[in-house]
Amino acid sequence: MEAGIGEVGTSSRKTKNVSGPRRVSPIGSLDADILRAMFSLLNHFDLIRCSAVCRSWHSVINNSTLMKDLYEKNSSKFRGTLNVVNHSNISLKGCLKDLAMAEHRLALTNGNTEVHQWHGHSLRVSQCRMKWGLILTGVGDKVLRLWSSGSYDCLGEYLVPDSKPIIDFDFDESKVVGLLESRICMWRRNDKRSIFPFREISSPCGICMRYVDPDAVIGCDDGTARVFDMYTGSCSRIIRTHAGSPTCLSFANCQMILCGSSLGRVTAIDLSTGEPVASLKSTISHTGIRSLCFNQHSYQVFAGSTAGYTHCWDLRTLRPLWETRISPNVLYGVQYLQGDTSTLAVGGIDGVLRIVDQNNGVVLSRYVMEGGKSEAHNPKALKVMKARALSSDICIDRIPKQARPSITGLAVGMKKIVTTHNEKYIRMWKFND
């Protein structure tokens, strides 16, 4: 019995060792000093990717002086935009954020810029949103389209099954939400079917919409903002915002929304009470507000007007910080990269893409398109063009209109801006170092 058991055990051990010793990855066998030497050759974007590979790499990058050294090295490159006073106490996340935002600003103001244009819609497209490497476009025909911001592949189509046009839209991780005059419609991101039947909303015609699940706030042509439950279609509040019609909306937080009006004011509304809590207005121009956004990091409100003014208010003090007329015409888009407190992208009817300093309203750079060539054998009819940087003294009216089609919508990503022009085409402006 004992011999039998021993033989079985020996056989089992031999069978177990047939595959040989466990293999160790060559990269995994490197010690921390070698990894630090390798990582020191990378830029901060590559360091971000490496820190997400495994715990050991994250530990090496986070616990070494790599980010501190890279932080100091780039302080001169970014012309003092980095705060290196207490760099030893700055976390890995803080270092990476500061470096990324500084590089984003540098690229937008001094970069070598290309414009990638592709055929997006059969009729026209006038609005766009960009998040998480995705672009959603629409308004102009009966379909919303979701695109990859890297490959420009169409990832989804969301059809409207009636004759009413799309007025406004937005999206999140799981769904797409659209406003159709007196209807709210929703689609799953990964499914063309609607999540629920389209909800009729008992209200006047909707003009603009923003939502924070489950509530959607709709600006209506009777001068009210109405709060609806997106899943039931019931209206919980009717808020009188202005004497004029609301033209644009932006959430300051989940309990406060900002509403721009055709009479040139921005009203801050507490959604929990339905009461206006503040009114922001220009000291120079009282023309209508056409575009609006709020920076949660600096508490600054930015707006573009129908007379070409860009406005900035501090929501904490309710005072205007600066007002600059950067164009003689309507400004349809005012946006910034999430987390950035230095640059603002502005576009409007004159077709010039402007980069504005968030802190003082100074125009840092201006761009229009130049001729380009189509990519051969490309089913998206992708056309690559160069962007032309304009000097401060050039007369915009002398630039051909085909080089500056009106910008009706824009969205900002890391070193890139997507624009729509009420045409069939979508354009991606890529800013390189």
Side-chain angles (χ1 to χ4, degrees):
M1 287 292 291
E2 292 179 1
I5 294 174
E7 288 173 4
V8 171
T10 304
S11 174
S12 174
R13 285 194 297 271
K14 288 181 179 179
T15 303
K16 187 175 181 180
N17 294 329
V18 166
S19 60
R22 185 178 179 182
R23 295 183 179 181
V24 179
S25 168
I27 294 295
S29 65
L30 298 178
D31 62 23
D33 291 334
I34 296 176
L35 287 174
R36 277 192 289 268
M38 293 169 57
F39 292 151
S40 67
L41 304 176
L42 304 179
N43 61 30
H44 49 281
F45 286 111
D46 291 331
L47 279 176
I48 294 173
R49 298 184 181 98
C50 289
S51 68
V53 169
C54 60
R55 291 182 179 178
S56 62
W57 284 22
H58 182 275
S59 177
V60 168
I61 294 173
N62 197 32
N63 296 329
S64 67
T65 62
L66 286 170
M67 290 310 306
K68 171 187 170 184
D69 297 340
L70 189 61
Y71 199 73
E72 293 178 333
K73 177 181 176 181
N74 284 280
S75 62
S76 58
K77 172 185 174 183
F78 296 134
R79 300 178 183 176
T81 59
L82 293 175
N83 179 17
V84 295
V85 176
N86 295 313
H87 54 259
S88 60
N89 298 322
I90 296 176
S91 65
L92 170 65
K93 184 177 179 181
C95 285
L96 293 174
K97 178 183 174 181
D98 285 354
L99 288 169
M101 291 302 107
E103 185 164 327
H104 173 72
R105 175 189 172 99
L106 186 64
L108 262 59
T109 54
N110 298 305
N112 179 26
T113 309
E114 283 186 345
V115 182
H116 294 185
Q117 172 184 286
W118 72 98
H119 191 286
H121 290 251
S122 59
L123 296 177
R124 57 189 177 88
V125 54
S126 62
Q127 294 295 323
C128 58
R129 307 283 183 267
M130 181 161 56
K131 306 171 187 177
W132 313 301
L134 301 171
I135 305 167
L136 185 65
T137 59
V139 180
D141 54 14
K142 308 299 180 186
V143 63
L144 297 172
R145 287 195 170 98
L146 189 68
W147 309 87
S148 165
S149 66
S151 64
Y152 314 131
D153 290 332
C154 184
L155 306 178
E157 292 186 347
Y158 310 95
L159 300 174
V160 178
D162 60 19
S163 59
K164 293 183 178 179
I166 299 171
I167 303 298
D168 205 350
F169 60 88
D170 207 342
F171 73 106
D172 56 34
E173 295 93 335
S174 61
K175 63 182 176 297
V176 174
V177 180
L179 171 66
L180 283 72
E181 291 187 354
S182 60
R183 286 188 178 187
I184 295 176
C185 52
M186 290 184 290
W187 301 265
R188 292 185 182 91
R189 274 261 307 269
N190 58 354
D191 195 341
K192 296 180 181 180
R193 297 172 300 173
S194 60
I195 301 176
F196 299 101
F198 290 0
R199 299 296 183 186
E200 287 284 351
I201 52 177
S202 302
S203 73
C205 180
I207 298 175
C208 50
M209 178 203 70
R210 288 294 181 269
Y211 76 89
V212 172
D213 222 343
D215 294 326
V217 181
I218 298 176
C220 301
D221 61 2
D222 66 345
T224 63
R226 300 177 183 236
V227 184
F228 291 89
D229 186 305
M230 294 190 295
Y231 302 98
T232 66
S234 60
C235 180
S236 60
R237 292 189 184 278
I238 300 176
I239 304 167
R240 174 63 62 176
T241 59
H242 309 283
S245 299
T247 55
C248 47
L249 299 168
S250 178
F251 274 98
N253 53 53
C254 60
Q255 289 297 321
M256 182 179 292
I257 194 165
L258 305 169
C259 181
S261 89
S262 57
L263 298 182
R265 293 190 179 189
V266 176
T267 302
I269 301 168
D270 187 339
L271 293 178
S272 62
T273 63
E275 295 295 328
V277 295
S279 181
L280 310 175
K281 58 182 180 180
S282 171
T283 59
I284 300 174
S285 172
H286 301 288
T287 54
I289 301 297
R290 192 61 184 81
S291 51
L292 188 65
C293 68
F294 174 72
N295 192 323
Q296 296 181 350
H297 296 272
S298 63
Y299 294 94
Q300 292 177 347
V301 181
F302 302 101
S305 79
T306 56
Y309 281 90
T310 306
H311 306 275
C312 176
W313 297 272
D314 190 323
L315 192 58
R316 294 164 296 188
T317 63
L318 306 180
R319 294 180 178 178
L321 299 181
W322 51 262
E323 297 174 279
T324 307
R325 192 176 193 189
I326 63 174
S327 170
N329 306 109
V330 182
L331 299 177
Y332 289 119
V334 174
Q335 294 295 330
Y336 68 97
L337 175 67
Q338 187 69 29
D340 182 21
T341 57
S342 62
T343 57
L344 191 70
V346 184
I349 200 171
D350 66 1
V352 178
L353 179 61
R354 293 174 172 87
I355 308 301
V356 177
D357 193 315
Q358 289 190 26
N359 299 302
N360 52 33
V362 173
V363 177
L364 303 173
S365 55
R366 303 186 299 170
Y367 299 97
V368 296
M369 295 182 300
E370 289 187 331
K373 61 180 180 178
S374 298
E375 293 291 319
H377 310 296
N378 194 308
K380 294 186 290 290
L382 181 65
K383 186 177 182 180
V384 180
M385 299 173 285
K386 297 294 292 182
R388 173 188 172 193
L390 304 179
S391 61
S392 58
D393 58 349
I394 194 169
C395 179
I396 302 297
D397 292 335
R398 294 182 179 178
I399 301 174
K401 190 61 180 176
Q402 60 266 27
R404 51 182 187 90
S406 296
I407 298 173
T408 57
L410 62 82
V412 184
M414 175 58 69
K415 300 195 291 184
K416 58 190 174 186
I417 299 173
V418 61
T419 58
T420 51
H421 306 263
N422 205 29
E423 298 176 342
K424 299 177 182 179
Y425 301 101
I426 305 166
R427 295 179 174 95
M428 175 69 80
W429 305 65
K430 304 193 76 170
F431 298 84
N432 304 311
D433 293 338

